Amino acid sequence: MGLLNRFRLSPERAQAGAAARPHVHTPTVSPAPPAFAPRETRNSSSLKDFLWHLGGLGRGSLLDLGPAWQSTISFFIDRGFKVYTEDLLTSWKQYSQAETERQRALPAEVEHTSPSEVANQFLESSLKFEPGTFDAVLVWDLLDYLDGDMMRRVAERVSRLLREGGVVLAVFHSKRPEQFQRYRVLDEHTLELVPAPSVFPFARTFQNREILELFGRFHTSKTYLGRDQLREAMFVK
């Protein structure tokens, strides 16, 4: 699951010199366009600081753990980054459902794989990167929708994949959201909130202490609370 394929840009972008740019990768399964409207935008203070922290790299590698959006991919490619995407929430949903069906078909006397081992197998197959591969990871609100064990495993894996000095951008809900949504970058100050069909039910509302403990191995953290009950957070390893 979660195999990454090469992302193909439009002919117009290719003619504009895309051959000299880094490769971009996207998940095998692309989400269907959401049937919801209208979409909302929000001014993002964390994105501004995130970009400032990455500004001295010149070129680097970025992992986006949400769906592959053309606007987000182009935004970071234009700034010299290799961009990799893995819609981890959707991939985990598909993997866990397939594993549940597989184990239901096993004879009663056959030992079933524990949930912990299923989670390990999924992460090993979906995020096949060496430790320290990435300079930046976009986590979005992924952790709000994972159960406790999987949430901690994902946070740990993100930490392993990030190089020293690398940065994470995450989003946390201050209360249960009315609508599941995805995020994409429009410009240096603006995120678009894209309503979408729910992948998993909302799992938790983090307290600040819990967020800091989750990223306890990181040297620096900064959070930004908006009027829309979203907390953006940036963590520097």
Side-chain angles (χ1 to χ4, degrees), residues 83-131:
V83 177
Y84 300 81
T85 67
E86 174 63 44
D87 184 357
L88 202 69
L89 205 60
T90 299
S91 296
W92 171 232
K93 178 78 168 185
Q94 295 169 345
Y95 189 95
S96 57
Q97 287 181 335
E99 182 62 21
T100 297
E101 293 301 318
R102 185 190 72 81
Q103 296 201 45
R104 282 177 181 170
L106 294 175
E109 63 273 13
V110 175
E111 183 178 357
H112 287 202
T113 307
S114 69
S116 177
E117 185 58 29
V118 171
N120 278 337
Q121 291 173 356
F122 166 73
L123 290 174
E124 290 296 332
S125 64
S126 62
L127 295 176
K128 295 182 177 180
F129 302 102
E130 294 295 323

Side-chain angles (χ1 to χ4, degrees), residues 6 18 32 73 89 99 122 138 153 203 209 213 215 219-220 234:
R6 192 182 303 261
I73 290 169
L89 205 60
E99 182 62 21
F122 166 73
L138 298 172
R153 290 175 186 273
R209 172 183 54 80
E213 289 177 354
F215 292 93
H219 299 305
T220 305
M234 190 182 75

